[in-house]
Amino acid sequence: AQTVTQSQPEMSVQEAETVTLSCTYDTSESDYYLFWYKQPPSRQMILVIRQEAYKQQNATENRFSVNFQKAAKSFSLKISDSQLGDAAMYFCAYRSARSNQFYFGTGTSLTVIP
Amino acid sequence: KAGVTQTPRYLIKTRGQQVTLSCSPISGHRSVSWYQQTPGQGLQFLFEYFSETQRNKGNFPGRFSGRQFSNSRSEMNVSTLELGDSALYLCASSIGNRATGELFFGEGSRLTVL
């Protein structure tokens, strides 16, 4: 079974600074998709960024970018110019192309310090 | 377009009772997934329904069950509630026929078992 590991339960960053959240996964599949989701306090989870495993180019969405290392099975999220609204729980997720099933990590709670 | 709607948002039950949670997906989405979220455990996958059929199932006891109706609305039921069932139950919908499809989450149903 696929597993997703987020080794940083909590992280903090100064406003306007850059922070990187780590994620590793374990799979024997070659075709899959990776996601970062954001869950603000008491609000619903939303998609931050998505990466197809067959694409070598790292995905970017405005201030959010990923560092996808397929051989190392690593998928980190970089948040640049951090804003107070970035404070949330961030979940890394793996989706199997074969089964369509999602697997989530345990999450990283990000605090943004003014 | 309306988002994913979950009802009820909050509920309190006692041990031994049963509970039914409801989820209305985004219009046109045929896949509905359920997750249990607890602090420190992240999101644990319960099951996924696609076109009224259970397509995937997580490692939860038989007390947890679900179903999907012809209009894609889904319900999950937990019988003989235990204290450990206290959690946020999240429903997510997706188009369902493409692995690249992201999940759209509801706000969740927070269950407290006393």
Side-chain angles (χ1 to χ4, degrees), chain A residues 6-13 19 21 36 39-41 79 86-91 106-112:
Chain A
Q6 293 179 251
S7 59
Q8 306 155 315
E10 297 178 345
M11 291 281 287
S12 62
V13 62
V19 65
L21 308 184
W36 278 98
Q39 186 180 42
I79 306 173
D86 295 333
M89 182 73 81
Y90 287 82
F91 291 95
T106 52
T108 296
S109 178
L110 178 66
T111 299
V112 180

Side-chain angles (χ1 to χ4, degrees), chain B residues 23 31-35 45 47-49 90-94 103:
Chain B
C23 173
S31 169
V32 173
S33 303
W34 289 90
Y35 295 85
F45 174 70
F47 26 67
E48 180 206 4
Y49 287 87
L90 294 172
C91 168
S93 74
S94 69
L103 291 176

Side-chain angles (χ1 to χ4, degrees), chain A residues 33 37 39 44 50 95 99, chain B residues 37 56 99-101 103 105:
Chain A
Y33 304 85
Y37 278 88
Q39 186 180 42
Q44 67 196 108
R50 160 181 39 217
R95 185 168 195 171
S99 69
Chain B
Q37 184 178 9
N56 289 300
T100 54
L103 291 176
F105 285 86

